[in-house]
């Protein structure tokens, strides 16, 4: 997880994961805008979205870095600047949350559906290049229950009815797997090493910037 929001990093990450999961993407895939990755040879467009706010992403990073540490082991400035909620027990950081308010248990599903609808709006706008196969990758790091999967699948079908063009596949990066939802409500689940692909994405990004 990047502490600083880096859209290009997540776009690279999504491309590397999708290329690993499906064989259709060719070596001709190029960086673009609307959609983010464009493969004219294979007729595939891949749009990428980060399905949570920058603050939520930073909160996850904060928890990853400091959870279970003693208060005096955490930089004072980091604690002071953190805008979410923290709770210490026996002097150790026990709980980190992006908010001190109670959130709905399915907020992650709502966020994913909201981003899906936003991207469907883009897909159907004049400036978006529509391909034969249009894919969406949503980076979430949520935990999906069977009920969450059913809710997303059914709501996705309902939302799609309002649009002329829809995403043939929607890939969702959860905390432990990638779930691929198909337009026809069929789905696949893939277990991948998120850390491995994050490292590859960092290397790809850094090499790209060095060439600029």
């Amino acid at each position: 997880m990047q502490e600083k929001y880096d859209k290009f990093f997540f776009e690279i990450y999504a491309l590397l994961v999708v290329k690993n999961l499906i064989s259709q993407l060719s070596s001709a895939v190029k960086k673009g805008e609307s959609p983010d990755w464009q493969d004219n040879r294979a007729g595939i467009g891949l749009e990428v979205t980060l399905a949570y706010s920058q603050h939520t992403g930073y909160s996850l990073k904060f928890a990853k870095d400091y959870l279970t540490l003693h208060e005096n082991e955490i930089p004072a400035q980091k604690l002071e600047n953190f805008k979410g909620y923290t709770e210490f027990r026996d002097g150790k950081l026990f709980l980190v949350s992006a908010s001190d308010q109670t959130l709905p248990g399915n907020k992650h599903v709502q966020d994913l559906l909201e981003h899906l609808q936003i991207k469907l709006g883009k897909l159907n706008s004049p400036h978006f290049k529509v391909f034969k196969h249009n894919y969406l990758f949503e980076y979430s790091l949520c935990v999906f229950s069977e009920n969450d999967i059913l809710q997303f699948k059914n709501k996705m079908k309902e939302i799609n009815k309002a649009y002329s063009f829809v995403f043939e596949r929607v890939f969702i990066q959860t905390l432990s797997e990638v779930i691929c939802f198909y337009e026809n409500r069929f789905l696949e689940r893939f277990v991948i090493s998120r850390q491995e692909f994050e490292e590859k994405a960092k290397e790809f990004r850094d090499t790209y910037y060095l060439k600029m």
Side-chain angles (χ1 to χ4, degrees), residues 16-29:
L16 294 176
V17 170
V18 173
K19 285 185 75 171
N20 182 71
L21 298 182
I22 66 173
S23 59
Q24 291 93 326
L25 279 169
S26 76
S27 58
V29 64

Side-chain angles (χ1 to χ4, degrees), residues 137-149:
F137 190 99
E138 298 199 65
Y139 192 98
S140 173
L141 294 189
C142 58
V143 176
F144 250 56
S145 68
E146 294 302 319
N147 284 338
D148 293 335
I149 289 175

Side-chain angles (χ1 to χ4, degrees), residues 112-155:
L112 287 161
L113 289 167
E114 179 182 331
H115 280 77
L116 168 63
Q117 198 153 12
I118 291 170
K119 292 301 183 179
L120 280 168
K122 284 189 64 178
L123 177 63
N124 286 268
S125 65
H127 74 277
F128 199 99
K129 184 176 180 180
V130 178
F131 284 80
K132 181 179 180 181
H133 307 286
N134 301 286
Y135 300 157
L136 175 65
F137 190 99
E138 298 199 65
Y139 192 98
S140 173
L141 294 189
C142 58
V143 176
F144 250 56
S145 68
E146 294 302 319
N147 284 338
D148 293 335
I149 289 175
L150 184 62
Q151 180 187 1
F152 184 88
K153 187 167 59 173
N154 290 340
K155 191 65 177 176

